Coordinates of all heavy atoms in Angstrom, one line a residue:
V101 N 124.2 71.0 110.9 CA 125.3 70.5 110.1 C 124.6 70.1 108.8 O 123.7 69.3 108.7 CB 126.1 69.3 110.7 CG1 127.1 68.9 109.7 CG2 126.6 69.7 112.0
K102 N 125.0 70.7 107.7 CA 124.5 70.4 106.4 C 124.9 69.0 106.0 O 126.0 68.5 106.2 CB 124.9 71.4 105.3 CG 124.4 72.8 105.6 CD 124.6 73.7 104.5 CE 124.1 75.1 104.8 NZ 122.7 75.2 104.5
R103 N 124.0 68.3 105.3 CA 124.2 66.9 104.9 C 125.4 66.8 104.0 O 126.2 65.9 104.1 CB 122.9 66.4 104.1 CG 123.1 65.0 103.7 CD 121.9 64.4 103.0 NE 120.7 64.5 103.8 CZ 119.6 65.1 103.4 NH1 119.5 65.5 102.2 NH2 118.6 65.2 104.3
R104 N 125.6 67.8 103.1 CA 126.7 67.8 102.2 C 128.0 67.8 103.0 O 129.0 67.0 102.6 CB 126.7 68.9 101.2 CG 127.8 69.0 100.2 CD 127.6 70.0 99.2 NE 126.2 70.0 98.8 CZ 125.8 70.0 97.5 NH1 126.7 70.2 96.6 NH2 124.5 69.9 97.1
S105 N 128.1 68.5 104.0 CA 129.3 68.6 104.9 C 129.6 67.2 105.5 O 130.7 66.8 105.6 CB 129.2 69.7 105.9 OG 129.1 70.9 105.4
L106 N 128.5 66.6 106.0 CA 128.6 65.3 106.7 C 129.1 64.2 105.6 O 130.0 63.4 105.9 CB 127.3 64.8 107.3 CG 126.9 65.4 108.6 CD1 125.5 64.9 109.0 CD2 127.9 65.1 109.7
E107 N 128.5 64.3 104.4 CA 128.9 63.3 103.4 C 130.3 63.5 103.0 O 131.1 62.5 102.8 CB 128.0 63.5 102.2 CG 126.6 63.0 102.4 CD 125.6 63.4 101.3 OE1 126.0 64.2 100.4 OE2 124.5 62.9 101.3
Q108 N 130.8 64.8 102.9 CA 132.2 65.0 102.5 C 133.1 64.5 103.6 O 134.1 63.9 103.4 CB 132.4 66.5 102.3 CG 131.8 67.0 101.0 CD 131.9 68.5 100.8 OE1 132.2 69.2 101.7 NE2 131.7 68.9 99.6
A109 N 132.8 64.8 104.9 CA 133.6 64.4 106.0 C 133.7 62.8 106.1 O 134.7 62.2 106.3 CB 133.1 64.9 107.3
A110 N 132.5 62.2 105.8 CA 132.5 60.7 105.9 C 133.3 60.1 104.7 O 133.9 59.0 104.9 CB 131.0 60.2 105.8
G111 N 133.3 60.8 103.6 CA 134.1 60.3 102.5 C 135.6 60.4 102.7 O 136.4 59.7 102.1
M112 N 136.0 61.4 103.6 CA 137.4 61.6 103.8 C 137.9 60.9 105.1 O 139.1 60.6 105.2 CB 137.7 63.1 103.9 CG 137.4 63.8 102.6 SD 137.9 65.6 102.6 CE 137.2 66.2 104.1
T113 N 137.1 60.6 106.0 CA 137.5 60.1 107.3 C 136.6 58.9 107.7 O 135.4 59.0 107.9 CB 137.4 61.2 108.4 OG1 138.1 62.3 107.9 CG2 138.0 60.7 109.7
A114 N 137.3 57.7 107.8 CA 136.5 56.5 108.2 C 135.9 56.7 109.6 O 134.8 56.1 109.8 CB 137.5 55.3 108.2
Q115 N 136.5 57.4 110.5 CA 135.9 57.6 111.8 C 134.6 58.3 111.7 O 133.6 57.9 112.4 CB 136.9 58.3 112.7 CG 136.3 58.5 114.1 CD 137.3 59.2 115.1 OE1 138.4 59.6 114.6 NE2 136.9 59.4 116.3
V116 N 134.5 59.3 110.9 CA 133.2 60.0 110.7 C 132.2 59.1 110.1 O 131.0 59.1 110.6 CB 133.4 61.3 109.8 CG1 132.0 61.9 109.5 CG2 134.3 62.3 110.5
A117 N 132.5 58.3 109.1 CA 131.6 57.4 108.5 C 131.1 56.4 109.5 O 129.9 56.0 109.6 CB 132.3 56.7 107.3
R118 N 132.0 55.8 110.4 CA 131.6 54.9 111.4 C 130.7 55.5 112.4 O 129.7 54.9 112.8 CB 132.8 54.3 112.1 CG 133.5 53.2 111.4 CD 134.5 52.5 112.3 NE 135.5 53.3 112.8 CZ 136.7 53.6 112.1 NH1 136.9 53.0 110.9 NH2 137.6 54.4 112.6
S119 N 130.9 56.8 112.8 CA 130.1 57.5 113.7 C 128.7 57.7 113.2 O 127.7 57.5 113.9 CB 130.7 58.8 114.1 OG 131.9 58.6 114.8
L120 N 128.6 58.1 111.9 CA 127.3 58.3 111.3 C 126.6 56.9 111.2 O 125.4 56.9 111.4 CB 127.5 58.8 109.9 CG 127.9 60.3 109.8 CD1 128.2 60.7 108.4 CD2 126.7 61.2 110.4
W121 N 127.3 55.9 110.8 CA 126.6 54.5 110.8 C 126.1 54.1 112.2 O 125.0 53.6 112.3 CB 127.6 53.5 110.3 CG 127.0 52.2 110.1 CD1 126.3 51.7 109.0 CD2 126.9 51.1 111.1 NE1 125.8 50.4 109.3 CE2 126.1 50.1 110.5 CE3 127.4 51.0 112.4 CZ2 125.9 48.9 111.2 CZ3 127.1 49.8 113.1 CH2 126.4 48.8 112.5
T122 N 126.9 54.4 113.2 CA 126.5 54.0 114.6 C 125.3 54.8 115.0 O 124.3 54.3 115.6 CB 127.7 54.3 115.5 OG1 128.8 53.5 115.2 CG2 127.3 54.0 117.0
M123 N 125.2 56.1 114.7 CA 124.1 56.9 115.0 C 122.8 56.5 114.3 O 121.7 56.4 114.8 CB 124.3 58.4 114.7 CG 125.2 59.1 115.7 SD 125.4 60.9 115.3 CE 126.6 60.9 114.0
T124 N 123.0 56.2 113.0 CA 121.9 55.7 112.2 C 121.4 54.4 112.7 O 120.1 54.1 112.8 CB 122.3 55.6 110.7 OG1 122.8 56.9 110.3 CG2 121.1 55.2 109.8
A125 N 122.3 53.4 113.0 CA 121.9 52.1 113.5 C 121.1 52.3 114.9 O 120.1 51.6 115.2 CB 123.1 51.2 113.7
G126 N 121.6 53.2 115.7 CA 120.9 53.5 117.0 C 119.5 54.0 116.8 O 118.6 53.6 117.5
E127 N 119.4 54.9 115.8 CA 118.0 55.5 115.5 C 117.1 54.4 115.0 O 115.9 54.3 115.4 CB 118.1 56.6 114.5 CG 118.7 57.9 115.1 CD 117.8 58.5 116.2 OE1 116.6 58.5 116.0 OE2 118.4 59.0 117.2

C-alpha cells in the first residue's frame, strides 16, 4: 500500500487514522 494512499485515506476517515496510530504505537 503506497504511503500516499494511506495518508489520503487517513485524511478522509478517522477510523483509518486511528488504525494507523494504533499500529504505529504497537510498533
Side-chain angles (χ1 to χ4, degrees):
V101 179
K102 294 189 180 278
R103 182 179 304 129
R104 183 173 311 226
S105 297
L106 282 176
E107 290 170 350
Q108 288 175 345
M112 295 187 310
T113 308
Q115 182 178 358
V116 172
R118 277 192 301 275
S119 293
L120 287 171
W121 184 87
T122 300
M123 285 186 280
T124 303
E127 288 294 319

